[in-house]
PDB file of all heavy atoms in Angstrom:
ATOM      1  N   GLN A 663      10.421 -21.399-158.900  1.00  0.00           N
ATOM      2  CA  GLN A 663      10.617 -21.853-157.529  1.00  0.00           C
ATOM      3  C   GLN A 663       9.900 -23.165-157.223  1.00  0.00           C
ATOM      4  O   GLN A 663      10.439 -24.012-156.516  1.00  0.00           O
ATOM      5  CB  GLN A 663      10.146 -20.775-156.556  1.00  0.00           C
ATOM      6  CG  GLN A 663      10.563 -21.036-155.129  1.00  0.00           C
ATOM      7  CD  GLN A 663      10.440 -19.799-154.267  1.00  0.00           C
ATOM      8  OE1 GLN A 663      10.246 -18.704-154.748  1.00  0.00           O
ATOM      9  NE2 GLN A 663      10.553 -19.987-152.969  1.00  0.00           N
ATOM     10  N   PHE A 664       8.692 -23.355-157.766  1.00  0.00           N
ATOM     11  CA  PHE A 664       7.894 -24.522-157.396  1.00  0.00           C
ATOM     12  C   PHE A 664       7.575 -25.462-158.552  1.00  0.00           C
ATOM     13  O   PHE A 664       7.002 -26.525-158.344  1.00  0.00           O
ATOM     14  CB  PHE A 664       6.579 -24.072-156.745  1.00  0.00           C
ATOM     15  CG  PHE A 664       6.788 -23.273-155.497  1.00  0.00           C
ATOM     16  CD1 PHE A 664       6.610 -21.904-155.493  1.00  0.00           C
ATOM     17  CD2 PHE A 664       7.189 -23.891-154.323  1.00  0.00           C
ATOM     18  CE1 PHE A 664       6.810 -21.159-154.350  1.00  0.00           C
ATOM     19  CE2 PHE A 664       7.399 -23.158-153.165  1.00  0.00           C
ATOM     20  CZ  PHE A 664       7.210 -21.789-153.174  1.00  0.00           C
ATOM     21  N   GLY A 665       7.893 -25.065-159.790  1.00  0.00           N
ATOM     22  CA  GLY A 665       7.635 -25.917-160.935  1.00  0.00           C
ATOM     23  C   GLY A 665       6.175 -25.967-161.343  1.00  0.00           C
ATOM     24  O   GLY A 665       5.755 -26.901-162.019  1.00  0.00           O
ATOM     25  N   LEU A 666       5.397 -24.953-160.961  1.00  0.00           N
ATOM     26  CA  LEU A 666       3.972 -24.898-161.302  1.00  0.00           C
ATOM     27  C   LEU A 666       3.747 -23.903-162.433  1.00  0.00           C
ATOM     28  O   LEU A 666       4.183 -22.753-162.343  1.00  0.00           O
ATOM     29  CB  LEU A 666       3.138 -24.471-160.096  1.00  0.00           C
ATOM     30  CG  LEU A 666       3.167 -25.382-158.872  1.00  0.00           C
ATOM     31  CD1 LEU A 666       2.437 -24.729-157.706  1.00  0.00           C
ATOM     32  CD2 LEU A 666       2.535 -26.717-159.191  1.00  0.00           C
ATOM     33  N   THR A 667       3.053 -24.312-163.469  1.00  0.00           N
ATOM     34  CA  THR A 667       2.718 -23.407-164.555  1.00  0.00           C
ATOM     35  C   THR A 667       1.619 -22.450-164.096  1.00  0.00           C
ATOM     36  O   THR A 667       1.024 -22.641-163.032  1.00  0.00           O
ATOM     37  CB  THR A 667       2.222 -24.183-165.786  1.00  0.00           C
ATOM     38  OG1 THR A 667       0.999 -24.840-165.435  1.00  0.00           O
ATOM     39  CG2 THR A 667       3.249 -25.179-166.269  1.00  0.00           C
ATOM     40  N   GLU A 668       1.337 -21.453-164.903  1.00  0.00           N
ATOM     41  CA  GLU A 668       0.272 -20.497-164.562  1.00  0.00           C
ATOM     42  C   GLU A 668      -1.060 -21.219-164.384  1.00  0.00           C
ATOM     43  O   GLU A 668      -1.802 -20.939-163.430  1.00  0.00           O
ATOM     44  CB  GLU A 668       0.152 -19.440-165.657  1.00  0.00           C
ATOM     45  CG  GLU A 668      -0.926 -18.416-165.388  1.00  0.00           C
ATOM     46  CD  GLU A 668      -1.041 -17.372-166.479  1.00  0.00           C
ATOM     47  OE1 GLU A 668      -0.192 -17.300-167.367  1.00  0.00           O
ATOM     48  OE2 GLU A 668      -2.029 -16.607-166.418  1.00  0.00           O
ATOM     49  N   LYS A 669      -1.375 -22.156-165.264  1.00  0.00           N
ATOM     50  CA  LYS A 669      -2.635 -22.897-165.144  1.00  0.00           C
ATOM     51  C   LYS A 669      -2.686 -23.729-163.868  1.00  0.00           C
ATOM     52  O   LYS A 669      -3.737 -23.847-163.238  1.00  0.00           O
ATOM     53  CB  LYS A 669      -2.843 -23.788-166.361  1.00  0.00           C
ATOM     54  CG  LYS A 669      -3.171 -23.000-167.600  1.00  0.00           C
ATOM     55  CD  LYS A 669      -3.476 -23.898-168.765  1.00  0.00           C
ATOM     56  CE  LYS A 669      -3.832 -23.045-169.973  1.00  0.00           C
ATOM     57  NZ  LYS A 669      -4.319 -23.826-171.083  1.00  0.00           N
ATOM     58  N   GLN A 670      -1.559 -24.285-163.463  1.00  0.00           N
ATOM     59  CA  GLN A 670      -1.521 -25.050-162.220  1.00  0.00           C
ATOM     60  C   GLN A 670      -1.676 -24.137-161.006  1.00  0.00           C
ATOM     61  O   GLN A 670      -2.324 -24.512-160.030  1.00  0.00           O
ATOM     62  CB  GLN A 670      -0.219 -25.850-162.125  1.00  0.00           C
ATOM     63  CG  GLN A 670      -0.161 -27.018-163.082  1.00  0.00           C
ATOM     64  CD  GLN A 670       1.177 -27.711-163.073  1.00  0.00           C
ATOM     65  OE1 GLN A 670       2.222 -27.068-163.032  1.00  0.00           O
ATOM     66  NE2 GLN A 670       1.139 -29.043-163.112  1.00  0.00           N
ATOM     67  N   VAL A 671      -1.092 -22.943-161.070  1.00  0.00           N
ATOM     68  CA  VAL A 671      -1.264 -21.972-159.975  1.00  0.00           C
ATOM     69  C   VAL A 671      -2.736 -21.603-159.847  1.00  0.00           C
ATOM     70  O   VAL A 671      -3.281 -21.552-158.738  1.00  0.00           O
ATOM     71  CB  VAL A 671      -0.395 -20.714-160.195  1.00  0.00           C
ATOM     72  CG1 VAL A 671      -0.736 -19.627-159.182  1.00  0.00           C
ATOM     73  CG2 VAL A 671       1.085 -21.063-160.130  1.00  0.00           C
ATOM     74  N   ILE A 672      -3.392 -21.374-160.965  1.00  0.00           N
ATOM     75  CA  ILE A 672      -4.826 -21.056-160.948  1.00  0.00           C
ATOM     76  C   ILE A 672      -5.604 -22.213-160.347  1.00  0.00           C
ATOM     77  O   ILE A 672      -6.517 -22.006-159.534  1.00  0.00           O
ATOM     78  CB  ILE A 672      -5.315 -20.712-162.366  1.00  0.00           C
ATOM     79  CG1 ILE A 672      -4.678 -19.387-162.825  1.00  0.00           C
ATOM     80  CG2 ILE A 672      -6.843 -20.619-162.418  1.00  0.00           C
ATOM     81  CD1 ILE A 672      -4.862 -19.082-164.292  1.00  0.00           C
ATOM     82  N   ALA A 673      -5.239 -23.446-160.699  1.00  0.00           N
ATOM     83  CA  ALA A 673      -5.922 -24.619-160.148  1.00  0.00           C
ATOM     84  C   ALA A 673      -5.707 -24.729-158.639  1.00  0.00           C
ATOM     85  O   ALA A 673      -6.637 -25.066-157.895  1.00  0.00           O
ATOM     86  CB  ALA A 673      -5.442 -25.884-160.851  1.00  0.00           C
ATOM     87  N   VAL A 674      -4.488 -24.432-158.165  1.00  0.00           N
ATOM     88  CA  VAL A 674      -4.210 -24.437-156.725  1.00  0.00           C
ATOM     89  C   VAL A 674      -5.061 -23.384-156.027  1.00  0.00           C
ATOM     90  O   VAL A 674      -5.677 -23.649-154.987  1.00  0.00           O
ATOM     91  CB  VAL A 674      -2.705 -24.196-156.446  1.00  0.00           C
ATOM     92  CG1 VAL A 674      -2.460 -23.859-154.983  1.00  0.00           C
ATOM     93  CG2 VAL A 674      -1.883 -25.406-156.861  1.00  0.00           C
TER      94      VAL A 674
END
Side-chain angles (χ1 to χ4, degrees):
Q663 192 164 349
F664 299 105
L666 298 173
T667 64
E668 180 180 350
K669 289 184 179 188
Q670 288 174 318
V671 171
I672 292 169
V674 166

